[in-house]
PDB file of all heavy atoms in Angstrom:
ATOM      1  N   THR A 546      10.166  -2.616 -30.792  1.00 95.00           N
ATOM      2  CA  THR A 546      11.007  -3.817 -30.724  1.00 95.00           C
ATOM      3  C   THR A 546      12.476  -3.460 -30.844  1.00 95.00           C
ATOM      4  O   THR A 546      13.319  -3.964 -30.082  1.00 95.00           O
ATOM      5  CB  THR A 546      10.601  -4.801 -31.834  1.00 95.00           C
ATOM      6  OG1 THR A 546       9.276  -5.265 -31.565  1.00 95.00           O
ATOM      7  CG2 THR A 546      11.550  -5.991 -31.901  1.00 95.00           C
ATOM      8  N   ARG A 547      12.807  -2.611 -31.793  1.00 92.00           N
ATOM      9  CA  ARG A 547      14.205  -2.196 -31.951  1.00 92.00           C
ATOM     10  C   ARG A 547      14.722  -1.537 -30.678  1.00 92.00           C
ATOM     11  O   ARG A 547      15.852  -1.782 -30.232  1.00 92.00           O
ATOM     12  CB  ARG A 547      14.331  -1.254 -33.144  1.00 92.00           C
ATOM     13  CG  ARG A 547      13.937  -1.893 -34.470  1.00 92.00           C
ATOM     14  CD  ARG A 547      14.141  -0.942 -35.638  1.00 92.00           C
ATOM     15  NE  ARG A 547      13.612  -1.500 -36.871  1.00 92.00           N
ATOM     16  CZ  ARG A 547      12.465  -1.135 -37.433  1.00 92.00           C
ATOM     17  NH1 ARG A 547      11.734  -0.176 -36.879  1.00 92.00           N
ATOM     18  NH2 ARG A 547      12.058  -1.706 -38.553  1.00 92.00           N
ATOM     19  N   THR A 548      13.884  -0.697 -30.079  1.00 92.00           N
ATOM     20  CA  THR A 548      14.273  -0.016 -28.838  1.00 92.00           C
ATOM     21  C   THR A 548      14.493  -1.019 -27.718  1.00 92.00           C
ATOM     22  O   THR A 548      15.489  -0.945 -26.974  1.00 92.00           O
ATOM     23  CB  THR A 548      13.194   0.999 -28.434  1.00 92.00           C
ATOM     24  OG1 THR A 548      13.076   1.997 -29.459  1.00 92.00           O
ATOM     25  CG2 THR A 548      13.537   1.675 -27.113  1.00 92.00           C
ATOM     26  N   LYS A 549      13.592  -1.984 -27.578  1.00 94.00           N
ATOM     27  CA  LYS A 549      13.712  -2.960 -26.498  1.00 94.00           C
ATOM     28  C   LYS A 549      14.953  -3.838 -26.664  1.00 94.00           C
ATOM     29  O   LYS A 549      15.617  -4.173 -25.674  1.00 94.00           O
ATOM     30  CB  LYS A 549      12.456  -3.825 -26.427  1.00 94.00           C
ATOM     31  CG  LYS A 549      11.253  -3.089 -25.844  1.00 94.00           C
ATOM     32  CD  LYS A 549      10.047  -4.003 -25.724  1.00 94.00           C
ATOM     33  CE  LYS A 549       8.899  -3.285 -25.023  1.00 94.00           C
ATOM     34  NZ  LYS A 549       7.703  -4.151 -24.893  1.00 94.00           N
ATOM     35  N   ILE A 550      15.281  -4.199 -27.890  1.00 93.00           N
ATOM     36  CA  ILE A 550      16.470  -5.035 -28.085  1.00 93.00           C
ATOM     37  C   ILE A 550      17.726  -4.248 -27.733  1.00 93.00           C
ATOM     38  O   ILE A 550      18.675  -4.799 -27.153  1.00 93.00           O
ATOM     39  CB  ILE A 550      16.517  -5.580 -29.521  1.00 93.00           C
ATOM     40  CG1 ILE A 550      15.375  -6.577 -29.726  1.00 93.00           C
ATOM     41  CG2 ILE A 550      17.858  -6.261 -29.800  1.00 93.00           C
ATOM     42  CD1 ILE A 550      15.285  -7.136 -31.125  1.00 93.00           C
ATOM     43  N   ARG A 551      17.750  -2.964 -28.035  1.00 91.00           N
ATOM     44  CA  ARG A 551      18.896  -2.147 -27.615  1.00 91.00           C
ATOM     45  C   ARG A 551      18.991  -2.086 -26.090  1.00 91.00           C
ATOM     46  O   ARG A 551      20.083  -2.124 -25.517  1.00 91.00           O
ATOM     47  CB  ARG A 551      18.772  -0.737 -28.191  1.00 91.00           C
ATOM     48  CG  ARG A 551      18.922  -0.666 -29.707  1.00 91.00           C
ATOM     49  CD  ARG A 551      18.933   0.781 -30.187  1.00 91.00           C
ATOM     50  NE  ARG A 551      18.974   0.843 -31.638  1.00 91.00           N
ATOM     51  CZ  ARG A 551      17.910   1.047 -32.420  1.00 91.00           C
ATOM     52  NH1 ARG A 551      16.725   1.204 -31.874  1.00 91.00           N
ATOM     53  NH2 ARG A 551      18.052   1.102 -33.733  1.00 91.00           N
ATOM     54  N   GLU A 552      17.838  -1.987 -25.428  1.00 94.00           N
ATOM     55  CA  GLU A 552      17.839  -1.944 -23.963  1.00 94.00           C
ATOM     56  C   GLU A 552      18.314  -3.267 -23.377  1.00 94.00           C
ATOM     57  O   GLU A 552      19.024  -3.278 -22.354  1.00 94.00           O
ATOM     58  CB  GLU A 552      16.436  -1.591 -23.453  1.00 94.00           C
ATOM     59  CG  GLU A 552      16.019  -0.158 -23.771  1.00 94.00           C
ATOM     60  CD  GLU A 552      14.571   0.129 -23.382  1.00 94.00           C
ATOM     61  OE1 GLU A 552      13.830  -0.829 -23.046  1.00 94.00           O
ATOM     62  OE2 GLU A 552      14.175   1.308 -23.409  1.00 94.00           O
ATOM     63  N   ILE A 553      17.928  -4.374 -23.997  1.00 95.00           N
ATOM     64  CA  ILE A 553      18.420  -5.677 -23.537  1.00 95.00           C
ATOM     65  C   ILE A 553      19.923  -5.760 -23.755  1.00 95.00           C
ATOM     66  O   ILE A 553      20.678  -6.219 -22.887  1.00 95.00           O
ATOM     67  CB  ILE A 553      17.686  -6.816 -24.270  1.00 95.00           C
ATOM     68  CG1 ILE A 553      16.196  -6.815 -23.910  1.00 95.00           C
ATOM     69  CG2 ILE A 553      18.307  -8.168 -23.914  1.00 95.00           C
ATOM     70  CD1 ILE A 553      15.354  -7.747 -24.768  1.00 95.00           C
ATOM     71  N   ARG A 554      20.363  -5.327 -24.926  1.00 92.00           N
ATOM     72  CA  ARG A 554      21.796  -5.324 -25.228  1.00 92.00           C
ATOM     73  C   ARG A 554      22.580  -4.539 -24.181  1.00 92.00           C
ATOM     74  O   ARG A 554      23.641  -4.968 -23.711  1.00 92.00           O
ATOM     75  CB  ARG A 554      22.016  -4.718 -26.614  1.00 92.00           C
ATOM     76  CG  ARG A 554      23.473  -4.581 -27.041  1.00 92.00           C
ATOM     77  CD  ARG A 554      23.606  -3.693 -28.263  1.00 92.00           C
ATOM     78  NE  ARG A 554      23.245  -2.313 -27.968  1.00 92.00           N
ATOM     79  CZ  ARG A 554      23.118  -1.354 -28.888  1.00 92.00           C
ATOM     80  NH1 ARG A 554      23.272  -1.650 -30.166  1.00 92.00           N
ATOM     81  NH2 ARG A 554      22.800  -0.125 -28.530  1.00 92.00           N
ATOM     82  N   ASP A 555      22.034  -3.389 -23.802  1.00 92.00           N
ATOM     83  CA  ASP A 555      22.733  -2.507 -22.861  1.00 92.00           C
ATOM     84  C   ASP A 555      22.378  -2.793 -21.404  1.00 92.00           C
ATOM     85  O   ASP A 555      22.931  -2.149 -20.502  1.00 92.00           O
ATOM     86  CB  ASP A 555      22.411  -1.046 -23.186  1.00 92.00           C
ATOM     87  CG  ASP A 555      22.868  -0.650 -24.584  1.00 92.00           C
ATOM     88  OD1 ASP A 555      23.803  -1.308 -25.096  1.00 92.00           O
ATOM     89  OD2 ASP A 555      22.283   0.280 -25.164  1.00 92.00           O
ATOM     90  N   ARG A 556      21.441  -3.723 -21.188  1.00 95.00           N
ATOM     91  CA  ARG A 556      21.009  -4.129 -19.853  1.00 95.00           C
ATOM     92  C   ARG A 556      20.617  -2.910 -19.024  1.00 95.00           C
ATOM     93  O   ARG A 556      21.179  -2.641 -17.964  1.00 95.00           O
ATOM     94  CB  ARG A 556      22.098  -4.963 -19.164  1.00 95.00           C
ATOM     95  CG  ARG A 556      22.439  -6.214 -19.955  1.00 95.00           C
ATOM     96  CD  ARG A 556      23.443  -7.114 -19.282  1.00 95.00           C
ATOM     97  NE  ARG A 556      24.701  -6.464 -18.947  1.00 95.00           N
ATOM     98  CZ  ARG A 556      25.633  -6.135 -19.849  1.00 95.00           C
ATOM     99  NH1 ARG A 556      25.439  -6.370 -21.129  1.00 95.00           N
ATOM    100  NH2 ARG A 556      26.754  -5.565 -19.467  1.00 95.00           N
ATOM    101  N   ILE A 557      19.626  -2.177 -19.527  1.00 97.00           N
ATOM    102  CA  ILE A 557      19.142  -0.976 -18.839  1.00 97.00           C
ATOM    103  C   ILE A 557      17.629  -1.071 -18.652  1.00 97.00           C
ATOM    104  O   ILE A 557      16.967  -1.899 -19.268  1.00 97.00           O
ATOM    105  CB  ILE A 557      19.499   0.314 -19.618  1.00 97.00           C
ATOM    106  CG1 ILE A 557      18.856   0.297 -21.017  1.00 97.00           C
ATOM    107  CG2 ILE A 557      21.012   0.475 -19.718  1.00 97.00           C
ATOM    108  CD1 ILE A 557      19.078   1.593 -21.802  1.00 97.00           C
ATOM    109  N   GLY A 558      17.103  -0.205 -17.795  1.00 97.00           N
ATOM    110  CA  GLY A 558      15.669  -0.160 -17.547  1.00 97.00           C
ATOM    111  C   GLY A 558      15.149  -1.476 -17.018  1.00 97.00           C
ATOM    112  O   GLY A 558      15.732  -2.080 -16.115  1.00 97.00           O
ATOM    113  N   GLN A 559      14.058  -1.946 -17.573  1.00 97.00           N
ATOM    114  CA  GLN A 559      13.441  -3.188 -17.101  1.00 97.00           C
ATOM    115  C   GLN A 559      14.322  -4.408 -17.365  1.00 97.00           C
ATOM    116  O   GLN A 559      14.061  -5.491 -16.849  1.00 97.00           O
ATOM    117  CB  GLN A 559      12.079  -3.380 -17.768  1.00 97.00           C
ATOM    118  CG  GLN A 559      12.143  -3.555 -19.273  1.00 97.00           C
ATOM    119  CD  GLN A 559      10.767  -3.761 -19.894  1.00 97.00           C
ATOM    120  OE1 GLN A 559       9.954  -4.557 -19.396  1.00 97.00           O
ATOM    121  NE2 GLN A 559      10.479  -3.035 -20.969  1.00 97.00           N
ATOM    122  N   TYR A 560      15.363  -4.233 -18.176  1.00 97.00           N
ATOM    123  CA  TYR A 560      16.247  -5.344 -18.519  1.00 97.00           C
ATOM    124  C   TYR A 560      17.592  -5.259 -17.795  1.00 97.00           C
ATOM    125  O   TYR A 560      18.562  -5.912 -18.198  1.00 97.00           O
ATOM    126  CB  TYR A 560      16.485  -5.367 -20.028  1.00 97.00           C
ATOM    127  CG  TYR A 560      15.205  -5.420 -20.830  1.00 97.00           C
ATOM    128  CD1 TYR A 560      14.798  -4.327 -21.605  1.00 97.00           C
ATOM    129  CD2 TYR A 560      14.392  -6.545 -20.811  1.00 97.00           C
ATOM    130  CE1 TYR A 560      13.625  -4.369 -22.341  1.00 97.00           C
ATOM    131  CE2 TYR A 560      13.207  -6.596 -21.542  1.00 97.00           C
ATOM    132  CZ  TYR A 560      12.836  -5.499 -22.300  1.00 97.00           C
ATOM    133  OH  TYR A 560      11.671  -5.550 -23.022  1.00 97.00           O
ATOM    134  N   ALA A 561      17.648  -4.503 -16.714  1.00 97.00           N
ATOM    135  CA  ALA A 561      18.924  -4.291 -16.005  1.00 97.00           C
ATOM    136  C   ALA A 561      19.501  -5.596 -15.459  1.00 97.00           C
ATOM    137  O   ALA A 561      20.723  -5.720 -15.308  1.00 97.00           O
ATOM    138  CB  ALA A 561      18.731  -3.284 -14.880  1.00 97.00           C
ATOM    139  N   ASN A 562      18.645  -6.562 -15.163  1.00 97.00           N
ATOM    140  CA  ASN A 562      19.120  -7.814 -14.568  1.00 97.00           C
ATOM    141  C   ASN A 562      19.314  -8.938 -15.582  1.00 97.00           C
ATOM    142  O   ASN A 562      19.569 -10.085 -15.201  1.00 97.00           O
ATOM    143  CB  ASN A 562      18.153  -8.275 -13.477  1.00 97.00           C
ATOM    144  CG  ASN A 562      18.229  -7.401 -12.242  1.00 97.00           C
ATOM    145  OD1 ASN A 562      19.298  -6.877 -11.904  1.00 97.00           O
ATOM    146  ND2 ASN A 562      17.105  -7.225 -11.569  1.00 97.00           N
ATOM    147  N   VAL A 563      19.178  -8.637 -16.863  1.00 98.00           N
ATOM    148  CA  VAL A 563      19.451  -9.659 -17.882  1.00 98.00           C
ATOM    149  C   VAL A 563      20.942  -9.992 -17.833  1.00 98.00           C
ATOM    150  O   VAL A 563      21.786  -9.094 -17.865  1.00 98.00           O
ATOM    151  CB  VAL A 563      19.057  -9.150 -19.278  1.00 98.00           C
ATOM    152  CG1 VAL A 563      19.533 -10.125 -20.360  1.00 98.00           C
ATOM    153  CG2 VAL A 563      17.539  -8.970 -19.371  1.00 98.00           C
ATOM    154  N   PRO A 564      21.308 -11.262 -17.741  1.00 98.00           N
ATOM    155  CA  PRO A 564      22.732 -11.604 -17.625  1.00 98.00           C
ATOM    156  C   PRO A 564      23.498 -11.346 -18.921  1.00 98.00           C
ATOM    157  O   PRO A 564      22.970 -11.533 -20.013  1.00 98.00           O
ATOM    158  CB  PRO A 564      22.721 -13.088 -17.283  1.00 98.00           C
ATOM    159  CG  PRO A 564      21.422 -13.592 -17.837  1.00 98.00           C
ATOM    160  CD  PRO A 564      20.449 -12.466 -17.687  1.00 98.00           C
ATOM    161  N   GLN A 565      24.743 -10.948 -18.755  1.00 96.00           N
ATOM    162  CA  GLN A 565      25.610 -10.772 -19.908  1.00 96.00           C
ATOM    163  C   GLN A 565      26.026 -12.131 -20.461  1.00 96.00           C
ATOM    164  O   GLN A 565      26.129 -12.326 -21.673  1.00 96.00           O
ATOM    165  CB  GLN A 565      26.841  -9.960 -19.506  1.00 96.00           C
ATOM    166  CG  GLN A 565      27.709  -9.523 -20.657  1.00 96.00           C
ATOM    167  CD  GLN A 565      28.794  -8.564 -20.204  1.00 96.00           C
ATOM    168  OE1 GLN A 565      28.939  -8.304 -19.002  1.00 96.00           O
ATOM    169  NE2 GLN A 565      29.560  -8.042 -21.139  1.00 96.00           N
TER     170      GLN A 565
END
Side-chain angles (χ1 to χ4, degrees):
T546 294
R547 298 183 187 103
T548 298
K549 286 183 175 180
I550 292 178
R551 292 186 184 99
E552 291 174 350
I553 295 170
R554 177 193 67 188
D555 299 336
R556 301 184 304 286
I557 61 175
Q559 64 179 314
Y560 305 111
N562 288 327
V563 172
Q565 189 172 5

